Every structure is written in C-alpha cells, then in structure tokens.
Amino acid sequence: MPLVHVLLLAETLPDAERLAAGWRAAAPHATTEVREVRLPGSVAAPSAGPVHDDGGAGRGVLLAGPAIPVGRPAAVGPQDAGPAHPGPSAPGPAPSALPRAEGAELADVAGRADVVVAYVTRLDGEGLHKGVVVEAAAAAAPHAVPVVVVTGRSEVSRREWSTAGLSGVHEVVGEDLARVARTWSPGWAR
C-alpha cells in the first residue's frame, strides 16, 4: 500500500518528534520525517513539546529570518521600471535565511514529501516573516508541496497566511492533532 510522506519541522527536534508520534497515531499509514530548523544566530528555548497524545501543549521561540515584502511600491510609473525598481513581489514565501547548503538540503527533503508541517507555539504576523514557517514555505514552494502550520494559537487571517504560501493553519488543542492528520492524509492512509 502506498504511503503518505509527511515532513514535520519544528524549532527543536523533540517538538518535531512529538508531533510526528501524534501524526502517526492518527494516520498509521503515513511515514514521517522530522527536522529541526534552527537559523544562524537563533537561540532556542528549552523544549516543552508542542502537542502530546494526552493533549498537552508546549512552548517554543520563533526564529529570526527575512521579511515578506508586500504592498505597492512607493511610486509607480515608467521611470520606476527596471532592475533598480522591481516593484512589489508576488505573494509567496519569503526567501530562506538558512545557509545555502542547509536551505538546499531542506528543499530537497521537502520535494520528496507529500505535505510539509511546521510547528510554532503561536503564529502571528512576525511568525509569517521569520522562523520555521518561512523556512517550511521556502523549501516546499519550488516543488508545489502544501505547507500546513500546526500551532497553539493563530493570530493571522487566512489572507495573510495564504499570501505567505501556506495551505492551511490549524490551532491544535487536545485531540485536534488527530483531526489535522486525518485532514491532510487521504482516506486510504488512515
């Protein structure tokens, strides 16, 4: 039977492993791969765990990274065309802040996944501009792999997160991780 390959990313490896255990419990035919995503210069907080099978929630730290440019340029006219004034960027993920080799490796791994899941304790406007979510979206975008964020609390609108290249954002409390895993796994993979 074919398997669904899920790439789970978090700031710490224990957070990603706990998320993977919960995912496999809800979708036993899914294969999971976990990765810790830590940007240069970031300081990780002690891992308290994202989602436990018993319904607990943990803590984490958002990482430093690039901003997502949005909006219209300050001036628009023929004089503003060309490489010096490229205009607004298209919606999508911000570029990776990882060193080139690490970013390429993560993109390669994301290209082999059926879905990429990023965990953050809280998703806010800052979280859409830097950290694990940006790295997940940047790695998956060239391969058109959907990116899902699992979080304890989301403070961004659907328009904001979809503009950042995300396919879904799920607030997870208690047994909600099983619902998310079933949502992103086909019926035969449950």
Side-chain angles (χ1 to χ4, degrees):
M1 173 181 292
L3 298 175
V4 174
H5 184 76
V6 182
L7 175 61
L8 297 137
L9 305 175
E11 179 185 58
T12 67
L13 197 53
D15 284 348
E17 289 170 343
R18 281 190 287 275
L19 189 61
W23 198 281
R24 284 189 307 268
H29 294 293
T31 61
T32 58
E33 183 173 350
V34 297
R35 294 281 174 133
E36 175 182 72
V37 177
R38 212 176 274 172
L39 300 178
S42 69
V43 177
S47 172
V51 178
H52 303 276
D53 291 337
D54 64 0
R59 303 186 189 287
V61 174
L62 294 175
L63 308 172
I68 298 174
V70 295
R72 294 181 176 269
V76 178
Q79 74 280 3
D80 297 314
H85 302 282
S89 62
S96 174
L98 291 173
R100 186 174 297 214
E102 290 178 36
E105 179 185 349
L106 187 59
D108 183 52
V109 172
R112 293 189 304 265
D114 294 306
V115 64
V116 175
V117 179
Y119 167 75
V120 292
T121 56
R122 188 181 87 197
L123 182 62
D124 56 10
E126 183 178 354
L128 291 177
H129 297 146
K130 53 184 155 183
V132 174
V133 172
V134 170
E135 298 307 326
H143 309 286
V145 174
V147 177
V148 177
V149 175
V150 173
T151 183
R153 179 177 168 93
S154 176
E155 298 174 355
V156 296
S157 70
R158 181 182 180 106
R159 178 177 288 169
E160 291 171 311
W161 59 253
S162 62
T163 300
L166 305 178
S167 299
V169 173
H170 299 274
E171 291 183 333
V172 175
V173 179
E175 299 299 318
D176 288 345
L177 181 59
R179 175 188 50 82
V180 174
R182 287 189 303 268
T183 297
W184 289 95
S185 299
W188 52 261
R190 293 185 202 142

